[in-house]
Structures are given as C-alpha cells and as structure tokens.
Amino acid sequence: MKRLTAITVLCVLFLSAFAAGKGPAGVPGYPDSLRSVWLYTEGIKQNAIARDTVRAREFFAEAIRNDSTFAPAYYEMAANGMYSTPDEAVNLARTAFRLDTANKWYHQFLGQALIYARRYDEALAVYRRLRSDEPQNPDNYRILAALYEQAQQPFSAIATLDSAEVRFGRIPVLSTMKRQLLVATRQMDKAVEEAEAMVEAVPYEAEHHVVLADLYGILGKDSLAKAEYDRALQIDSTDVGTLMSLADFYNGRHDYRAVLDVTQRLFESDKMPLDTKIKRFGIFTSDMRFYREYYPQLNTLASTLAVRYPQDRRVVELYAKHLIASGELEQALALYKLHLDDQPPVEEYFRSVIDIESYLQHPDSVNRYIGRALELFPGQVDFHLSKGHTLNYSKQYPQAIKAYKQSLGYARTDSLRSVIWGFIGDTWHQKATAGEQDIDNNFARAVRKGSFRADMKQCYKAYDHSLRYDPDNAMVLNNYAYFLSLEGRELEKALTMSSRAIALTDNNPTYLDTHAWVLFKLGRTAEAKKVMQQAIALDGQESAALLVHYGDILHAMGEQFMAEIYWRKGLEKGYDADQITRRMEQGKAEKE
C-alpha cells in the first residue's frame, strides 16, 4: 500500500530548494525541524528507486530517532516489510495510526497487519471502526464478514453482508460469501433465494446457473437442477466448471453412465488440463469391477486421450496399461514398439517391450530389444540384468552368468550388488542341476555328476559374495540354506541362515518351508512339523512342494495315513507323478 502523502511531495520541493543552497555536496542545508522529512524522503528514494531496503530502513529508523512522532516513517517500514516478525509489523502500523488517527491508509494497514499476525480479535475491532468511519467502502464489509466467520460468528457475518447489500446493491463477491454462509448455517432456502436473485440479476453468466443447480441438487430438486445445468451449458457448452459440477451431480446419484458421458465431453475439451484428465481416468479405473462394467465407455475415454495426446508419455503409458488390463497384450506391445524411435529415446518403453516379450516367451525378440536398449542406455543396469534373465530362461547358463557379471560394473549400491551375486549363485545352481525335474529327490543323483560339485562350489561362492555386500539378503540366505540341506551338509550353518531369513520377512511360506526342511534334516522332526504346518496354512495349500515336504515329515514321524493324504494333494497340484508313486510304494514296503 505504497502511497506518497502530501508531506512527501512537499519534502521533495524543500529538498530541491536546499540542494541549490550553500550547503556542501551531499549535506543539504535545512532547518533541524525538517531533518526527519529529508531522512524519510531519502528512505523513499532508496526503496523505490535503488531497491535497497536495508539502506531505506536505516533512513526511516534515523527519521524516527530524530522525531519519534514522525508517523510516515513508521508506516513505510511496516508497509514495505522492513520488520522481523508479524508482531513488529503490528507495532509499527499501530504507532503510525496512533500518531495520525485521521489517516485512513494507516488505519486500513493496521487492520491488515493484525490479520497477517493472526490477531483476529483485534483486527475485528479495527474493521468494525473502519466500517463505521468509511461506510462507502465495500471491502470493509467483506473483510469484516470474513473476520466474523473466522470468529465463528456466522450470523454476524451474514448481517454484515446484508447491510452491504442494502447500501451497495448486489456485489457478486459479497453475494457469494453470503450464500456460502447461508449454506454453512443450513439456511438452504435463503441460500437458494440468494442464488436465484443472482441468476436474475446476471442471467448470462454460466457460473450463477451452476451455483443454483448445485443448491437445487442438495435439496433433492433434481429436475430444477438439470434445468439450470442445461441453461449454463446453453451459455457455454464447453465450460469445464459446469461440466465438472454436472458430473459430480450424476456421481452423487450413482448414475455412472451419465458421469462418463459428461467426462467424455471434458476429455474432448482443451480447457481441461491433461493432468486432471489423467487423474480422473485413474480414479475410474482403480476399481476393477467398475472397469469391467463400464469398459466400453472407459475405452472411449482412453482412446480419446490417445488420439488427442499421441506423443505425451503419460498418455502412452495410460493407454498401454488400459490395453493390458483389457487383455490386448499384443496391441499394447505394438503401441510401445511404435514409440521406441521417439527422440529422445524413452527407457521405460524399452523396459515394457522387453517385459511383454518375455511374458509372451519370445526370447529372440527379447534379445533384440535388449541389444537396442543397451546401445542407447549402456549404463542402465536393469537392461544388463534383463539380458542375464533371458539367457537364464533359455538355459544358456554360462552366457547368463557372464551377463550378470557385466551388470556388476553398473551397480551403484551394495544392496544391488548383493542381489546380482544372488542371481549368479542361482544360475550356477540351475546349471548344476540342469535336466533334473525333481531337485529334492534327484539331488543325490545330481551329486554324482562330475560337474555338479564344481558348479555348486561356484554357487556357494557367489552366495558368499552376495552376503558380504548384504548380510541380510533374505532370498540368498534362504536359497543357500535350502541347497545345503539338500546336500545334507553344514546343517547348523543352514539353520542359522534359514532362521535369519524368516526373521527378516513377514511369514513367507517358502522361507518357512526351508526352515522346516533344515530342521527335518537335523532330525528335529517335531519342530519341523510345526513350522511346516504354519507354512502350508500361510500358503493356502497351493504349493505342491510344500505339501509333499509335509508328507515326507509325517512319513518320517510314522503318520503314514496323513503322509499319503498330503502326497496326493501334492500330486493334484502338479508334483511329479513318478516321485509320488515311489513314495507311496516305499511307504507300503515299510508297512510290510
């Protein structure tokens, strides 16, 4: 609120005269009574022209030291932020007003400073007086009403706005405040009357019809609400605010087809920001039941975005995910491939193509796109890992190990290095047991192979590397323990690792199975049985291996009948039939 008072103009004239006098350069010749005026004017110049608030504050402060009753200096310091706290601003503004109570700018700024300092009760008193002193200023009514509302005196706020309406007629901002207060105090009929009056006063502004429609909707007068929405759309059929209010109206009545029809109009509008469209689509598709029931309309929405924003990354991802959710995996793949030549190239598109091609079991395509990705993004470790995963899946174990080791050069954290060494160890294990369908029962046979011992040695060495980088890598701890238990060696070490793995995780049934199996190998069958029961319960009896392991433990405890039940359950879940037959025959032979 920077205003030069008449005294400022006068002081400029004074200074011009003094500068032409006989005083030395830079030291104006003036009577002592005008020293504060000169200092004040220099402060104005420093602030307004030189933009040096620090120097300006020094001049204003010196003006006050020279004359503690010089009100303009207090005001300028308060109005231009030359204070350290809001309370200091209040003190400066209050002093200025106390020294010159006839100055309306000082009075108004005191009220503003009190609001800024959140001293609302004091501000309320100031604005009551301002309204009395300046009844012709509608802003005083507006701020006073807001302060009454802040003080939880809504009826006083409404009365203030009523008096403003009597004096000034209808002012849109004050009418809006009044209507909101009427709604807050549940005076809905009066709020409707206020909105109807605004529509009558300004019939060609859509927002007034929307406000009235919203109020009719709250009162359950749906036909009147729809009529007002229609009038608003006749004024501007593309108005985003109107369409969003109409969509909310239909949403409140669970008429989702109408909601989506209105949303389609919003998606076709350039006035609605793309971020809002994407967010709204995400809300619609967060519920899969809703997604399935209204798929045709949601598909139209997604297609609209894809057509209107074909190069926007967010829309490409949105449409591709929509296609995937719709079961159109090949179309999603084609969409991602269409954007692989975008400039600059987008890593996420390559990741998606590689993931989908891997899922579709197209190893040649996977290798091709991994190669392209590595040419463009040679430092991205996940593409090196994808190469290793693909080679592993195609049982090219030496090449997979090589790819994983190359990725180590791009790993930036010890936790990631631990994970990669875990992949290397797993791959050595797969190489060691290649061709064996039932690892548990053919492990002994695999041990007899000449290469097995060397490969497993490399496996354990890789796991040791992994655990040096991250001693709490639960997956490596679990796998290490399990493979040792299958070999039947270093079982105490295996028990320590499996115990740590289950301590690090929240009831992982696979890790509990390993722990139980280690206990079983140690001969602690009762403990193994209890842990295995927990694993099966958490797994929901879905894993064939867990069911067969439990059967083996029951068999070892002499509970043959229950053992056979769980072996059969494992068979139903896909466990190797020959191995189950062999177990059954062994059980019968032991009975005889």
Side-chain angles (χ1 to χ4, degrees):
M1 194 180 295
K2 298 178 181 178
R3 297 178 182 272
L4 290 178
T5 60
I7 194 170
T8 305
V9 176
L10 288 173
C11 72
V12 171
L13 295 175
F14 272 123
L15 291 172
S16 299
F18 291 140
K22 52 187 177 182
V27 182
Y30 53 80
D32 288 344
S33 60
L34 292 178
R35 177 174 170 75
S36 290
V37 175
W38 181 83
L39 291 166
Y40 168 76
T41 306
E42 285 300 307
I44 293 288
K45 288 161 59 179
Q46 289 295 325
N47 186 52
I49 300 173
R51 305 293 183 187
D52 188 343
T53 56
V54 174
R55 186 69 177 141
R57 179 185 170 90
E58 290 174 358
F59 276 109
F60 293 140
E62 183 62 27
I64 291 169
R65 281 193 292 271
N66 185 72
D67 181 359
S68 63
T69 65
F70 194 73
Y74 291 100
Y75 171 75
E76 287 297 330
M77 289 177 70
N80 290 286
M82 299 175 190
Y83 50 81
S84 56
T85 66
D87 286 334
E88 184 183 348
V90 169
N91 292 335
L92 290 167
R94 194 188 302 280
T95 302
F97 176 61
R98 178 174 53 79
L99 292 169
D100 187 357
T101 56
N103 190 310
K104 66 178 182 179
W105 307 116
Y106 295 177
H107 200 184
Q108 287 179 348
F109 189 77
L110 173 59
Q112 294 174 14
L114 287 166
I115 292 172
Y116 178 63
R118 299 185 179 182
R119 293 160 66 168
Y120 301 120
D121 290 341
E122 296 175 69
L124 189 59
V126 168
Y127 275 97
R128 282 200 194 101
R129 182 173 170 183
L130 279 168
R131 182 186 60 174
S132 176
D133 292 348
E134 294 184 81
Q136 75 282 3
N137 187 345
D139 257 356
N140 292 334
Y141 292 82
R142 175 180 62 83
I143 297 172
L144 181 58
L147 287 168
Y148 274 129
E149 185 180 9
Q150 172 68 32
Q152 298 183 357
Q153 300 179 44
F155 294 101
S156 295
I158 292 170
T160 300
L161 295 170
D162 282 338
S163 63
E165 186 176 322
V166 170
R167 179 175 291 274
F168 305 109
R170 290 192 176 276
I171 297 176
V173 66
L174 299 184
S175 293
T176 299
M177 286 183 68
K178 181 180 175 182
R179 186 186 65 252
Q180 291 171 346
L181 286 164
L182 289 169
V183 172
T185 54
R186 301 183 183 279
Q187 300 181 69
M188 298 303 298
D189 290 338
K190 290 184 178 181
V192 168
E193 290 176 10
E194 189 72 22
E196 288 172 339
M198 281 303 300
V199 166
E200 186 178 348
V202 192
Y204 299 113
E205 288 193 14
E207 63 179 293
H208 299 314
H209 291 278
V210 172
V211 167
L212 182 55
D214 291 343
L215 289 171
Y216 281 145
I218 293 171
L219 293 173
K221 299 178 179 181
D222 287 3
S223 59
L224 292 174
K226 289 179 183 178
E228 290 300 325
Y229 285 128
D230 287 343
R231 291 188 184 100
L233 290 171
Q234 286 169 8
I235 296 169
D236 185 354
S237 62
T238 64
D239 183 71
V240 170
T242 302
L243 291 169
M244 291 187 75
S245 291
L246 182 57
D248 291 340
F249 170 80
Y250 284 125
N251 189 59
R253 281 134 189 87
H254 306 294
D255 187 350
Y256 299 120
R257 294 191 188 282
V259 172
L260 293 170
D261 286 343
V262 175
T263 303
Q264 178 63 31
R265 296 172 67 178
L266 285 166
F267 276 31
E268 291 170 352
S269 170
D270 290 329
K271 296 179 181 179
M272 187 180 202
L274 177 58
D275 283 343
T276 305
K277 295 176 183 179
I278 292 172
K279 184 178 180 180
R280 186 156 283 226
F281 187 83
I283 293 171
F284 288 142
T285 55
S286 60
D287 185 331
M288 288 306 299
R289 289 181 299 177
F290 187 91
Y291 207 149
R292 287 192 294 269
E293 185 172 354
Y294 298 100
Y295 172 77
Q297 288 169 289
L298 291 169
N299 183 56
T300 302
L301 293 179
S303 300
T304 299
L305 293 179
V307 170
R308 295 183 68 84
Y309 311 97
Q311 297 303 317
D312 191 284
R313 285 180 56 181
R314 296 165 298 171
V315 174
V316 172
E317 288 290 347
L318 179 150
Y319 192 50
K321 289 177 181 177
H322 167 69
L323 290 171
I324 293 169
S326 307
E328 303 291 345
L329 201 59
E330 293 285 359
Q331 289 188 38
L333 180 61
L335 176 63
Y336 280 125
K337 286 182 177 179
L338 184 66
H339 289 276
L340 291 183
D341 291 325
D342 285 1
Q343 294 299 323
V346 180
E347 296 174 30
E348 198 55 43
Y349 295 161
F350 282 90
R351 291 189 182 95
S352 297
V353 167
I354 292 166
D355 289 344
I356 295 174
E357 292 281 31
S358 298
Y359 178 81
L360 295 174
Q361 299 183 18
H362 297 159
D364 291 340
S365 292
V366 173
N367 283 328
R368 181 166 64 256
Y369 288 110
I370 287 175
R372 284 185 60 185
L374 286 173
E375 288 175 4
L376 293 168
F377 314 104
Q380 288 299 323
V381 65
D382 54 333
F383 291 128
H384 290 277
L385 292 175
S386 294
K387 181 178 181 181
H389 297 335
T390 303
L391 291 167
N392 192 326
Y393 179 79
S394 60
K395 299 183 179 181
Q396 301 179 60
Y397 300 122
Q399 295 92 325
I401 291 168
K402 182 178 178 181
Y404 287 136
K405 287 185 175 181
Q406 286 177 338
S407 71
L408 285 168
Y410 302 98
R412 297 179 180 178
T413 64
D414 283 351
S415 60
L416 181 55
R417 294 183 186 96
S418 175
V419 170
I420 296 171
W421 276 110
F423 290 151
I424 294 170
D426 293 343
T427 307
W428 276 113
H429 170 259
Q430 289 170 279
K431 181 175 181 296
T433 57
E436 302 297 343
Q437 298 300 314
D438 181 357
I439 300 304
D440 288 359
N441 291 282
N442 289 328
F443 210 85
R445 186 170 64 194
V447 170
R448 290 194 294 271
K449 292 181 180 179
S451 62
F452 175 86
R453 182 64 65 187
D455 290 342
M456 286 306 297
K457 184 177 180 181
Q458 292 299 323
C459 168
Y460 297 142
K461 184 184 292 186
Y463 285 159
D464 286 332
H465 275 295
S466 174
L467 294 175
R468 276 198 290 272
Y469 283 113
D470 181 5
D472 288 336
N473 186 324
M475 183 174 289
V476 169
L477 289 167
N478 175 77
N479 292 355
Y480 203 158
Y482 188 59
F483 298 152
L484 285 175
S485 71
L486 291 178
E487 285 196 72
R489 66 188 187 88
E490 298 187 71
L491 294 177
E492 290 296 340
K493 177 180 178 180
L495 183 63
T496 299
M497 288 190 290
S498 68
S499 299
R500 183 60 182 159
I502 61 174
L504 290 167
T505 53
D506 185 18
N507 293 324
N508 184 308
T510 300
Y511 295 176
L512 288 168
D513 169 60
T514 295
H515 190 59
W517 199 244
V518 174
L519 289 168
F520 175 61
K521 289 290 188 174
L522 283 166
R524 296 160 61 173
T525 51
E527 294 175 70
K529 177 182 177 182
K530 187 178 294 185
V531 175
M532 190 61 76
Q533 286 173 334
Q534 184 183 1
I536 289 174
L538 290 167
D539 182 64
Q541 299 195 14
E542 290 298 320
S543 169
L546 267 64
L547 293 167
V548 173
H549 281 176
Y550 189 43
D552 292 347
I553 292 170
L554 292 171
H555 169 72
M557 298 180 74
E559 300 179 32
Q560 188 61 29
F561 175 76
M562 292 303 298
E564 291 181 5
I565 288 176
Y566 279 93
W567 284 336
R568 290 192 183 95
K569 286 183 178 182
L571 180 62
E572 292 170 4
K573 294 294 182 180
Y575 204 83
D576 182 73
D578 290 339
Q579 295 300 326
I580 297 298
T581 300
R582 200 170 295 128
R583 282 174 166 84
M584 293 288 193
E585 290 174 352
Q586 181 182 352
K588 289 179 183 178
E590 290 176 359
K591 282 183 181 179
E592 296 173 357

